[in-house]
Amino acid sequence: GAVVSQHPSWVICKSGTSVKIECRSLDFQATTMFWYRQFPKQSLMLMATSNEGSKATYEQGVEKDKFLINHASLTLSTLTVTSAHPEDSSFYICSAREAGLETDTQYFGPGTRLTVL
Amino acid sequence: KNEVEQSPQNLTAQEGEFITINCSYSVGISALHWLQQHPGGGIVSLFMLSSGKKKHGRLIATINIQEKHSSLHITASHPRDSAVYICARPGTASKLTFGTGTRLQVTL
């Protein structure tokens, strides 16, 4: 089956630093990837939709200058949390939709746990 | 009110029990996802269904599009089934709207 990987799986950083999270589709091409954030005991919240070769579409309330998304190839999207603060500590998950398919099936990555000290 | 409602929110069962998790949604859809989130956070897509019933191992998912309701059943539950089960409906541009999740704990 389709596999999506994320790197790193967890990261601890100091307040004010930037952190880059990678999302890769390993055995398929993904024209669309989605970035989600999940706080403890809460449901996933869509942050942005990442489209290969074009600008990401951000959900209301998500700062595009703080959460930089790049989808430079059909197998890789990156999320950079700039000037991270403790309130950005969360579980970040990506999903990828396989190119060329009409189905809405999304394949999820294993997630990245970010802790900002 | 959340567009996608799940019940129960929490469920404890003994090994071997038959489990049902329900999902209701307020907006008409063409398909619904069932996802499983493990304690470590990883998410696995269990089913995407648009009508009738789908079965995979001990998991069965049913949907009634007219009644805007879906159920996930687990037969002969096992402690390794302990996870959060989430239903989600696709919307515009394939964006998913998630239910609140059902936390299942299966004990020996």
Side-chain angles (χ1 to χ4, degrees), chain A residues 4 19 43 105:
Chain A
V4 175
V19 174
S43 190
T105 299

Side-chain angles (χ1 to χ4, degrees), chain A residues 29 31 97-103:
Chain A
Q29 293 185 328
T31 49
R97 185 171 172 232
E98 189 169 355
L101 295 186
E102 295 183 4
T103 147

Side-chain angles (χ1 to χ4, degrees), chain A:
Chain A
V3 177
V4 175
S5 71
Q6 279 186 242
H7 178 80
S9 55
W10 59 269
V11 57
I12 301 172
C13 69
K14 291 183 179 179
S15 187
T17 60
S18 293
V19 174
K20 181 186 282 188
I21 302 170
E22 293 185 349
C23 176
R24 292 182 186 270
S25 56
L26 297 186
D27 49 2
F28 66 99
Q29 293 185 328
T31 49
T32 304
M33 290 184 173
F34 301 91
W35 285 98
Y36 301 91
R37 181 167 51 182
Q38 185 180 35
F39 293 106
K41 301 283 176 83
Q42 295 187 24
S43 190
L44 285 83
M45 284 177 42
L46 179 65
M47 299 176 66
T49 303
S50 170
N51 297 298
E52 187 267 337
S54 64
K55 289 184 179 180
T57 304
Y58 290 82
E59 295 300 299
Q60 194 171 13
V62 178
E63 298 175 58
K64 62 180 180 183
D65 294 330
K66 179 167 182 64
F67 298 99
L68 301 179
I69 290 172
N70 184 283
H71 193 155
S73 78
L74 285 171
T75 59
L76 173 64
S77 175
T78 60
L79 167 68
T80 301
V81 183
T82 63
S83 186
H85 289 282
E87 57 264 30
D88 298 323
S89 298
S90 187
F91 191 60
Y92 292 87
I93 306 172
C94 71
S95 70
R97 185 171 172 232
E98 189 169 355
L101 295 186
E102 295 183 4
T103 147
D104 281 323
T105 299
Q106 292 184 27
Y107 302 100
F108 287 83
T112 296
R113 192 163 301 281
L114 170 64
T115 302
V116 184
L117 302 176

Side-chain angles (χ1 to χ4, degrees), chain B residues 85-98:
Chain B
Y85 293 84
I86 305 167
C87 64
R89 71 157 188 88
T92 308
S94 299
K95 295 179 186 181
L96 293 178
T97 298
F98 297 91

Side-chain angles (χ1 to χ4, degrees), chain B residues 27-69:
Chain B
V27 179
I29 60 170
S30 58
L32 189 83
H33 294 261
W34 279 101
L35 311 170
Q36 179 192 52
Q37 185 168 29
H38 293 286
I43 291 177
V44 173
S45 181
L46 298 175
F47 298 102
M48 188 181 74
L49 66 164
S50 56
S51 66
K53 180 169 75 174
K54 283 190 175 180
K55 185 175 188 293
H56 186 257
R58 295 180 294 106
L59 300 177
I60 303 167
T62 63
I63 190 168
N64 185 317
I65 293 288
Q66 288 75 25
E67 294 187 4
K68 299 186 176 63
H69 181 269

